Amino acid sequence: PALQGAGGRVLARGTPAQAYESGIRERTVLIEFDSVAQAIAAHDSPGYQEALRVLGNAVERDIRIIDGAA
């Protein structure tokens, strides 16, 4: 919710139906932002940082911000 509140749009979320090569079958969430700068700002926002604090070490996170296809 914190990332959606910062302009993120959830495109997909869930456990992969299938994983190939070195893929890991773990829950994945794909969120789209209008720009890399907006994604970084959302991650660094007080709302997201508070969510991280509240969740603590309840889950392992692996966040990557990439440029999308033009």
Side-chain angles (χ1 to χ4, degrees):
L3 295 178
Q4 289 175 302
R9 295 172 297 282
V10 176
L11 300 180
R13 75 173 125 217
T15 305
Q18 183 64 42
Y20 293 98
E21 311 309 331
S22 296
I24 299 172
R25 291 182 58 144
E26 292 183 351
R27 180 175 167 79
T28 300
V29 180
L30 178 62
I31 302 175
E32 178 184 51
F33 288 89
D34 290 334
S35 68
V36 167
Q38 185 183 15
I40 292 169
H43 175 272
D44 296 346
S45 71
Y48 186 71
Q49 295 305 307
E50 175 63 13
L52 290 177
R53 187 191 68 74
V54 169
L55 294 171
N57 293 326
V59 297
E60 184 175 321
R61 295 167 194 86
D62 180 6
I63 296 175
R64 298 155 194 237
I65 297 174
I66 61 169
D67 278 320

